[in-house]
Every structure is written in C-alpha cells, then in structure tokens.
C-alpha cells in the first residue's frame, strides 16, 4: 500500500519508485528490521546504517545502508535513533580499492614513461639530430647555464679569456683529438666560477670551471678531465641526456602545470650541469680518455689521479664533485685508469710549465 507522509512514523523508498512505502521498524540483535506492507522484511545491520542530512524537513531523519546507494528510510519517530549508535560515522567510499588500483596504475604509467620510454626514445633520437641542431641546442643551453650561475642576476657568468691560457687549452684539445673522427668540433670554454666541475653539452661544447683548474694537482689531471668530457661528446651522451631531461620535464610539466615555465628551464640547466650519466656512459668516456691520453703521449693514469685527488679533498658524497664521484665503482675506475699505463712507457707532460701557469691565470 502506498501512502503519503502525513501521520507516518517511517517511510521506505526503494530507489526505483518515487512513492514511499509505509513500514514498521524493529531493532533486535544488531539488526534493523524494516517490515514492508507486502510482508517482506528487510534486514539492515546496525553498523551499516548511516544518517543523511535533511535540509527540507528537520523533523525527519533520513537513513541509508552503506551497501545500498539508492534506498532511503525516512523516520519521524526519532526515539529509534538511540538504538543506532553508528549513525554519525561516515560510510566508506564505494570502490575505494578500485580507486587505489587506478592511482597505483597511473603512478606506474608515469614512471614507465619517465624511466623507460623517454630514455629509449632519447637514445634513438640522438643519432638522428643533425649536427646543426645539436650545435644550436648546445649554444642555447650554454647561455642559460651562464645566466643561471651568475650570482648578481644582472649579467651572464663571465667566460675566462686570458689569451695565453686559451691558446694552451686549444692546443691541448687538438692534441687529445688526434686523428679521431669527431662528429662535432670541440668548443672549449672556461667559466669564472669556483665550482669544481666540468661538463659537456650537445654540439661539442665542453665547459671547465675555474674551481676545477684550481683544484687540479697538475696539467695532466686537467687534461684527463678534458679527455673524459670529449669522450662524452664523441658518444653524444650530452644530447641523449638533454633529450631525456626535456622529455621528463615535459611529462612532469603536463602533470604539474609548468610545461614551458621558468622552473622547467632551471631544472634542465641543473640536470645538465650535474649530469649523472649511466655507468655504461661513464665507463665509455673513461675508456676514450685512456686511449686519447695514451695516443697523445700523456699518462692515462692521470685520470685515476684526478679521481683520487678529488675524493681525498672533497669526499665521495660532496655535491660539488658529484659529477665525478657519484658512481659506486669509483675504485674500479681509478684502477682502470692506472691499469692503462704501459709498463716502462715514458710519457710527456700535457703542457709546459709556462702554458700551465697561463691556464691557471686564464680568468685573471
């Protein structure tokens, strides 16, 4: 029988019909029994009953069962409520497990894109970028790095241009290049900054810092660093790294709303300055340096001496030298460099004392 609300103690809506059903209510053994007018009895466990707000009629309490999203029980006799202690608890959201699964899947998908698909795509694209494109990318990135490292915020970081020092370094680059078929002409610059670091950029750009020159124990250690960075250029490691960083920034930018903003530029600049290449790339650059130094008649063990010097001065975890010292196989890299020294070989210095002095004063 369908009736209106007037005079009823309780009415039940099944969610399918807009008409209420007169019901009788009884609470026993933790079960709210709802007797319908057709003789059917619905049983709602008390712990699953929740109260919903009713802004239209403050004299009526609306109840629902947490497992039924549609059915509603309208109660006017509020003496029933004292038998329903769970009314004020929030019902658990439906599909919470499914929602968590989708969230985990979304995070996993982003991780796969950043750590698998982007590196794979970058490695394949690096070989197809024309030299002119790499050069343009390197020039633009070098300009951004100079601006980012300037502490005044007014002008790009100065490039050291002491004529004699520049000439000595250019001669060293030619000596290390030897007969190697370099895909890009090496463009070497020294930045006037106390950072103990060096890095390579796309397009053949190699950057040394004044702090690195000051930290080197001698010219051969500097030559070893330079040979190592040239090895990265030969293998197009900076281009791959730039593409990976740009791809990761693009994905993160789409997620967090800074696709082409300043934060992305600064992040890319930081990633290129402190480039953390893969162990394979580092091993390849070391091997190139061993060969290039030996072919230039420079002691290849200088690369190991450089690693040992920086580790002794700054420690393995020092952020300033993280570019060189971040890999767990550092002892093996030192041993490999010193193992490349031929027994009985007589090597020549990488530069004269006068040229080394000029390089040390290149920023003055």
């Amino acid at each position: 029988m369908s009736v209106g609300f007037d005079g009823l103690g309780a009415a039940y809506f099944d969610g399918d019909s807009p008409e209420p059903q007169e019901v009788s209510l009884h609470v026993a053994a933790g079960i709210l029994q709802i007797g319908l007018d057709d003789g059917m009895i619905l049983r709602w466990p008390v712990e699953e009953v929740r109260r919903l707000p009713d802004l239209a009629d403050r004299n009526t309490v609306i109840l629902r069962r947490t497992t039924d999203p549609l059915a509603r029980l309208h109660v006017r006799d509020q003496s029933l409520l004292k038998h329903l202690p769970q009314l004020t608890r929030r019902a658990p959201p439906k599909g919470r497990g499914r929602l968590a699964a989708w969230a985990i899947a979304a995070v996993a998908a982003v991780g796969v894109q950043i750590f698998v698909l982007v590196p794979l795509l970058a490695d394949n694209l690096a070989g197809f970028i024309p030299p002119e494109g790499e050069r343009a990318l390197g020039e633009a990135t070098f300009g951004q790095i100079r601006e980012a490292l300037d502490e005044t915020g007014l002008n790009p970081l100065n490039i050291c241009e002491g004529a004699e020092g520049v000439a000595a370094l250019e001669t060293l680059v030619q000596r290390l290049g030897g007969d190697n078929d370099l895909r890009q002409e090496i463009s070497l610059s020294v930045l006037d900054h106390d950072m103990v670091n060096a890095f390579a950029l796309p397009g053949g750009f190699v950057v040394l810092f004044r702090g690195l020159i000051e930290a080197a124990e001698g010219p051969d250690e500097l030559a070893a660093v330079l040979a190592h960075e040239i090895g990265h250029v030969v293998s197009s490691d900076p281009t791959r790294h730039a593409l990976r960083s740009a791809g990761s920034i693009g994905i993160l930018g789409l997620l967090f709303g800074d696709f082409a903003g300043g934060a992305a530029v600064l992040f890319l600049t930081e990633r290129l300055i402190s480039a953390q290449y893969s162990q394979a790339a580092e091993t390849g650059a070391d091997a190139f340096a061993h060969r290039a130094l030996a072919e230039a008649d420079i002691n290849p063990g200088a690369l190991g001496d450089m690693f040992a010097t920086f580790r002794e001065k700054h420690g393995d975890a020092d952020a300033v030298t993280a570019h060189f010292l971040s890999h767990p196989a550092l002892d093996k890299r030192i041993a490999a460099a010193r193992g490349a020294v031929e027994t009985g070989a007589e090597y020549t210095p990488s530069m004269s004392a006068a040229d080394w002095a000029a390089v040390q004063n290149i920023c003055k």
Side-chain angles (χ1 to χ4, degrees), residues 20-33:
Q21 300 181 54
E22 181 180 3
V23 294
S24 61
L25 302 177
H26 181 70
V27 178
I31 301 295
L32 172 61
Q33 299 179 6

Side-chain angles (χ1 to χ4, degrees), residues 193-217:
H193 195 283
D194 59 5
M195 184 184 298
V196 183
N197 205 353
F199 56 85
L201 295 175
F205 289 88
V206 175
V207 180
L208 306 178
F209 287 90
R210 169 176 50 81
L212 176 69
I213 296 174
E214 294 173 347
E217 292 291 336

Side-chain angles (χ1 to χ4, degrees), residues 310-326:
F310 288 170
R311 182 171 62 178
E312 179 181 352
K313 288 185 176 181
H314 303 285
D316 286 355
D318 191 287
V320 174
T321 55
H323 179 69
F324 299 105
L325 305 179
S326 61

Side-chain angles (χ1 to χ4, degrees), residues 140 143 346:
E346 294 184 4

Side-chain angles (χ1 to χ4, degrees), residues 172-186 226-228 230-231 233-235 284-285 287-297:
L172 180 58
V173 169
Q174 294 175 1
R175 185 176 173 184
L176 292 172
D179 297 329
N180 291 293
D181 185 16
L182 301 179
R183 185 167 184 262
Q184 295 278 7
E185 180 182 353
I186 302 299
L226 184 55
H228 177 89
I230 293 175
V233 171
V234 171
S235 299
F288 178 90
H290 301 160
R291 294 193 304 271
L293 290 167
E295 291 172 1
D297 200 27

Side-chain angles (χ1 to χ4, degrees), residues 157-169:
L157 191 66
N158 289 331
I159 298 176
C160 301
E161 298 179 335
E164 294 181 357
V166 170
L169 289 175

Side-chain angles (χ1 to χ4, degrees), residues 248-272:
S248 300
I249 291 170
I251 293 173
L252 295 175
L254 288 174
L255 292 176
F256 299 110
D258 187 35
F259 182 70
V265 174
L266 292 177
F267 179 68
L268 177 58
T269 299
E270 187 275 333
R271 289 289 300 273
L272 289 171

